[in-house]
Amino acid sequence: MSTPPPLTSRLKDALGSLSARLLVAFLLPTLLFLALTGTAVYALARSILEEELGTSLSAIAAATASQVSGERMLTIEPGDDTMGTRTWRNLVRLLTEVRDSSGVRRLYVVDTQGRVRADVGGDLPVGAEVPELARDRLELARVISGERAASQVLFRGTDGRLYKTGYAPVRREGQVVGAVAVEGSAAFFGPLARLSRSFAAASGVALGVLGLVAILTARGLARPLRRLMASALRIGRGDLTTPVPPEPTREIGVLARELEVMRGALESRDRQLKLMLAGVAHEVRNPLGGISLFSGILAEDLKAGAHAEAAGHVARIQHEVEYLQRIVEDFLAFAREQPLSRSPVAAPDLLTEASILLAADAAAREVTVEVVAEPAVLEADGSLLTAALVNMVKNAVQASPPGGKVRVTGRGEGHGYTIRVEDSGPGVPETERERIFEPFFTTREKGTGLGLPLSRKIARAHGGDLRLVALPGATTFELTLPLIPGQHPP
């Protein structure tokens, strides 16, 4: 049994997937934005509502303080609440009316020392100190100096709710002699909390929708990428025949097309390599067999003392070795990616040089080679183009009957230069026309079948091409090459 990968490895693979990365890319910034926005809005709303509550409570305190007589307030002494003196009852009645009309929780009046003179809602006795004043010392100091103020912090009452206190000064002849305190409930925290929960719920829904969009987007991207990955793995394993399927997405479609082009190139190169190996095995077998045969006969003749026949056997062996060497050179020339060494080359000189190199072969077969070339200058590798033309003219000479003629012409056409090699031989059979440019295809007993494929390879390396033009009674090969930019054909 195979051991499953460790948890850390599985987590790493999961987090490294496209889906996980898109989820993080979608959700993390959104989550941070919603959290920061929600927190900022909540804090701002709370601050504004607290400030409004404090202003409202201090306004109620100021309105109440304007109705309180400072002189009468100071006459209230401890025990007046127990005896129910008239001054104390009037003050309590006022505070009760304000509490009932405004809906606040508590109102009380204190002197400058913080002792209660009347308390409605808190039930502290006259003369008692109010514990909450210790919390609001700064606010009370402002009130004593003649300003309205509200407590800076909320406090929680015995009922568990949050409250705030507003203060206003009580004056006697323009001098502050006490303060009115109004405690009101921060009731807005209920709706604010509900709003916060609603925002959190909406944020959760938004995150869920974004997560779903991220997953669907990731799947939409992952499917074609997985198909491309499967195609790449197939190519890596050596399967060069299965085509890469096209993809509808533009960017991934371009990648799929390029991968298909790469697969086709690899398949073509692999096919050429297999053909080359088969051609090498086939072409090398014959000369090696001849070398083995004649070397054996040579050894027997030398043992028998028949030295006169030895020279003939050696010549046959040397001939087979030369043929074997030519095969190897052709194979290497076709297999190598030869860099071009471009330089200005006169086109008529190329045609003339190729015909001169084959003059002996043409004379041996009694074939006339005629060269007619218009002047033009090509930016090309002269040696490689000469080799391509030699292959073309050599094929034409070998295909021509004794006494035949091979015409080699060159002329400018359009933006290029066309070289035609025409022979008067029997022509290429229609069944073989599609295969003559295949490597190692040949109809001759002695031949590697690399002459025309190598010539086409050289032509395409120069930006041109080589093709067959089959006409009744003649066979013509056309080699097209681009002219130097700015040069017009004559």
Side-chain angles (χ1 to χ4, degrees):
M1 291 180 62
S2 60
T3 304
L7 180 60
T8 55
S9 178
R10 295 200 300 270
L11 285 175
K12 185 176 180 181
D13 292 341
L15 292 176
S17 66
L18 181 61
S19 299
R21 293 191 177 190
L22 279 178
L23 277 174
V24 172
F26 271 70
L27 299 186
L28 187 58
T30 306
L31 180 61
L32 290 175
F33 173 77
L34 292 176
L36 293 175
T37 303
T39 302
V41 170
Y42 180 83
L44 180 61
R46 174 171 174 164
S47 175
I48 292 173
L49 291 174
E50 282 190 25
E51 184 177 354
E52 288 296 324
L53 178 62
T55 302
S56 176
L57 292 175
S58 61
I60 295 173
T64 305
S66 66
Q67 301 180 49
V68 175
S69 171
E71 184 173 356
R72 291 182 180 181
M73 181 202 74
L74 293 177
T75 63
I76 298 175
E77 297 291 339
D80 286 0
D81 51 340
T82 304
M83 294 183 294
T85 62
R86 185 175 182 179
T87 303
W88 178 82
R89 287 200 315 270
N90 290 335
L91 182 56
V92 169
R93 186 183 305 113
L94 173 64
L95 298 181
T96 303
E97 290 175 355
V98 172
R99 184 188 69 171
D100 294 341
S101 62
S102 62
V104 298
R105 187 185 77 143
R106 180 185 180 190
L107 281 90
Y108 57 90
V109 179
V110 296
D111 56 22
T112 53
Q113 281 74 40
R115 291 190 297 269
V116 172
R117 295 304 172 106
D119 186 1
V120 175
D123 299 329
L124 287 177
V126 177
E129 293 185 359
V130 182
E132 290 82 354
L133 295 180
R135 180 191 61 232
D136 298 335
R137 288 192 302 270
L138 296 177
E139 289 80 357
L140 190 59
R142 289 174 56 194
V143 172
I144 298 301
S145 66
E147 300 178 13
R148 290 190 301 179
S151 57
Q152 296 298 314
V153 295
L154 297 174
F155 64 92
R156 193 172 298 277
T158 56
D159 56 359
R161 296 181 180 179
L162 293 173
Y163 292 90
K164 198 177 184 70
T165 306
Y167 299 98
V170 176
R171 292 180 172 84
R172 185 187 65 175
E173 298 179 357
Q175 184 178 359
V176 177
V177 294
V180 175
V182 180
E183 287 185 3
S185 172
F188 60 83
F189 270 97
L192 188 61
R194 289 194 295 273
L195 178 63
S196 177
R197 289 192 294 270
S198 300
F199 181 80
S203 299
V205 172
L207 289 174
V209 172
L210 282 176
L212 181 61
V213 171
I215 292 173
L216 294 177
T217 304
R219 287 182 178 178
L221 291 175
R223 287 195 196 98
L225 289 177
R226 288 195 190 100
R227 289 193 291 266
L228 284 181
M229 183 175 66
S231 299
L233 291 175
R234 283 199 305 270
I235 294 173
R237 289 192 296 265
D239 181 7
L240 301 177
T241 58
T242 305
V244 179
E247 298 295 342
T249 308
R250 185 178 64 180
E251 292 79 2
I252 301 179
V254 171
L255 182 60
R257 288 196 297 272
E258 293 301 320
L259 190 61
E260 172 63 14
V261 170
M262 182 191 74
R263 183 203 64 80
L266 289 175
E267 183 184 18
S268 175
R269 193 167 186 82
D270 183 67
R271 185 169 58 251
Q272 289 184 6
L273 180 60
K274 290 178 180 178
L275 287 173
M276 180 178 290
L277 292 176
V280 168
H282 179 268
E283 295 297 332
V284 170
R285 186 183 295 117
N286 292 333
L288 285 180
I291 291 172
S292 176
L293 174 64
F294 289 113
S295 61
I297 295 174
L298 176 62
E300 292 176 0
D301 289 347
L302 290 177
K303 284 183 181 180
H307 297 285
E309 290 84 0
H313 299 323
V314 170
R316 295 296 297 272
I317 291 173
Q318 289 177 340
H319 176 73
E320 296 295 342
V321 169
E322 289 176 0
Y323 178 62
L324 185 60
Q325 184 177 3
R326 188 166 64 254
I327 291 173
V328 172
E329 289 176 353
D330 287 346
F331 285 155
L332 291 177
F334 182 76
R336 286 196 191 110
E337 292 295 335
Q338 299 180 355
L340 299 181
S341 178
R342 294 178 183 268
S343 60
V345 178
D349 294 345
L350 287 176
L351 276 64
T352 302
E353 185 177 357
S355 64
I356 291 174
L357 290 174
L358 290 169
D361 292 354
R365 296 183 60 85
E366 300 179 357
V367 174
T368 303
V369 179
E370 179 183 341
V371 178
V372 178
E374 294 178 353
V377 179
L378 306 174
E379 187 76 20
D381 189 316
S383 60
L384 289 180
L385 276 184
T386 300
L389 288 173
V390 165
N391 285 330
M392 294 168 61
V393 176
K394 184 177 181 180
N395 281 344
V397 169
Q398 292 176 350
S400 298
K405 179 188 289 186
V406 173
R407 282 179 54 85
V408 182
T409 61
R411 60 180 298 178
E413 295 180 353
H415 296 285
Y417 193 81
T418 302
I419 300 172
R420 293 183 176 88
V421 178
E422 179 183 343
D423 64 72
S424 56
V428 180
E430 187 174 353
T431 57
E432 297 176 359
R433 291 174 187 173
E434 298 295 330
R435 302 191 59 195
I436 57 174
F437 290 108
E438 289 183 7
F440 314 110
F441 174 77
T442 180
T443 57
R444 299 191 184 96
E445 184 178 353
K446 290 278 188 176
T448 61
L450 289 175
L452 289 176
L454 180 58
S455 297
R456 173 180 271 186
K457 185 177 180 180
I458 293 172
R460 289 180 173 177
H462 283 81
D465 202 359
L466 174 62
R467 67 189 186 96
L468 167 66
V469 180
L471 298 174
T475 301
T476 303
F477 285 92
E478 287 186 356
L479 174 63
T480 57
L481 296 167
L483 290 170
I484 294 178
Q487 181 187 187
H488 298 282

